[in-house]
Amino acid sequence: MANSYFIVDDHEMLRSGIIGWLKDNTDYTCLGDAGTLEAAMDSLVQLKKNATLPDILISDINFNGENSGFNLIAQVREKYPEIKIVVYSMFYSPNVMKEAVLRGASGYISKNAKTEELVNCMNTVLTGNNYLEKNLVQNYINYTNIIDSLTKREAVVVSLLLEHKSNDEIADALEIKKRSVENYISSIYEKIGVIDRSSLIAKLS
C-alpha cells in the first residue's frame, strides 16, 4: 500500500485542494479528512479498528479561532505514536513552531510554502527525521537558543507574554504574586537584550 495521510483543517476548500494536488502529483493515499479535533479523533478510532491508520497526520493549528491543533497533536502522539505529524499552518512564528514540536510534531510547514515543500516534509518525516520549512529554520534556531538561555519559569512567562497576557493575567495563570512576574520579566529583558514588551514580541515572533 502506498504511503497514506489524514488531513485536518477547518477550511474544506483547502483540504480538497491539498487532497487533489497530492493525488495528481504523488503516490500518497488520503485515508480521510476532518475539520475539527473531535471529528479527527473519531475518524482515527475507526481507522484503527480497520487496521488502516495513516502514516502521516497533516494538521492545522487553529480551528475556528482556537488553537486546538496543539491538543490534537498531543492526543495523536499519545494514542497513535506510530503516526508522524506534520503541521501545515498559516501561523509560522517560532514560538508556535516550538510549541508544536514540543507537543510531538515531526514537521512544520507554513501555508506560504510551495506544495512541493510539504511533500518534501512528508517524505522526510517518514524516514524518522524532523523537517522545518527552510525559510523558517533560522528564526526557529534563534528563538530556541534564546529560550534555552532562560530558566523554565522564565520560558513560561515568555510564552504568556507572546500571547499578549497582562502581568495580572500571568500572575493568575502561574499562581504567583504580580511582583514576582515583574521580577521575571526584568530578568528576561536583561537576558534577551530588550527594553520593553513590544521589542520582546518583535524579536521572538
Side-chain angles (χ1 to χ4, degrees):
M1 181 179 176
N3 291 325
S4 58
Y5 69 95
F6 189 100
I7 184 168
V8 190
D9 194 288
D10 60 354
H11 292 89
E12 184 177 358
M13 290 296 291
L14 184 142
R15 299 199 308 268
S16 297
I18 293 296
I19 291 169
W21 193 94
L22 290 174
K23 179 180 179 181
D24 292 340
N25 295 277
T26 74
D27 293 328
Y28 280 95
T29 298
C30 181
L31 297 185
D33 65 287
T36 66
L37 181 155
E38 294 77 13
M41 295 306 297
D42 287 346
S43 294
L44 290 176
V45 168
Q46 293 302 314
L47 290 170
K48 177 69 172 181
K49 288 180 180 179
N50 297 330
T52 56
L53 279 175
D55 299 302
I56 297 172
L57 178 81
I58 302 172
S59 178
D60 198 356
I61 289 295
N62 188 287
F63 304 141
N64 300 310
E66 297 183 1
N67 290 336
S68 54
F70 288 132
N71 293 332
L72 175 61
I73 293 169
Q75 290 184 36
V76 171
R77 174 57 59 236
E78 178 183 359
K79 296 181 179 181
Y80 311 107
E82 65 269 40
I83 298 177
K84 304 298 183 182
I85 302 171
V86 170
V87 173
Y88 186 58
S89 176
M90 64 179 289
F91 298 101
Y92 51 86
S93 60
N95 58 301
V96 173
M97 295 171 62
K98 182 74 171 180
E99 182 66 21
V101 170
L102 290 174
R103 295 290 184 107
S106 297
Y108 201 108
I109 299 291
S110 77
K111 290 179 180 176
N112 292 329
K114 293 182 179 179
T115 312
E116 290 84 353
E117 188 162 11
L118 172 61
V119 176
N120 288 339
C121 178
M122 294 168 69
N123 292 338
T124 299
V125 300
L126 281 178
T127 68
N129 294 308
N130 295 332
Y131 187 101
L132 299 178
E133 181 182 332
K134 293 178 180 178
N135 290 338
L136 306 179
V137 169
Q138 192 57 56
N139 283 346
Y140 179 82
I141 292 173
N142 293 342
Y143 174 83
T144 298
N145 289 339
I146 288 172
I147 293 300
D148 287 347
S149 72
L150 305 176
T151 66
K152 290 183 178 179
R153 180 51 65 94
E154 288 171 347
V156 172
V157 172
V158 166
S159 69
L160 293 172
L161 289 171
L162 293 176
E163 292 176 11
H164 302 281
K165 301 291 187 182
S166 68
N167 288 4
D168 287 331
E169 289 172 327
I170 294 173
D172 289 342
L174 300 181
E175 299 181 344
I176 59 178
K177 294 181 179 179
K178 183 178 177 180
R179 180 59 182 170
S180 296
V181 173
E182 293 169 349
N183 289 337
Y184 281 126
I185 292 175
S186 294
S187 176
I188 289 165
Y189 286 174
E190 182 176 356
K191 288 182 179 180
I192 295 179
V194 296
I195 59 173
D196 56 27
R197 188 174 302 226
S198 60
S199 56
L200 172 76
I201 293 172
K203 187 166 185 174
L204 297 183
S205 298

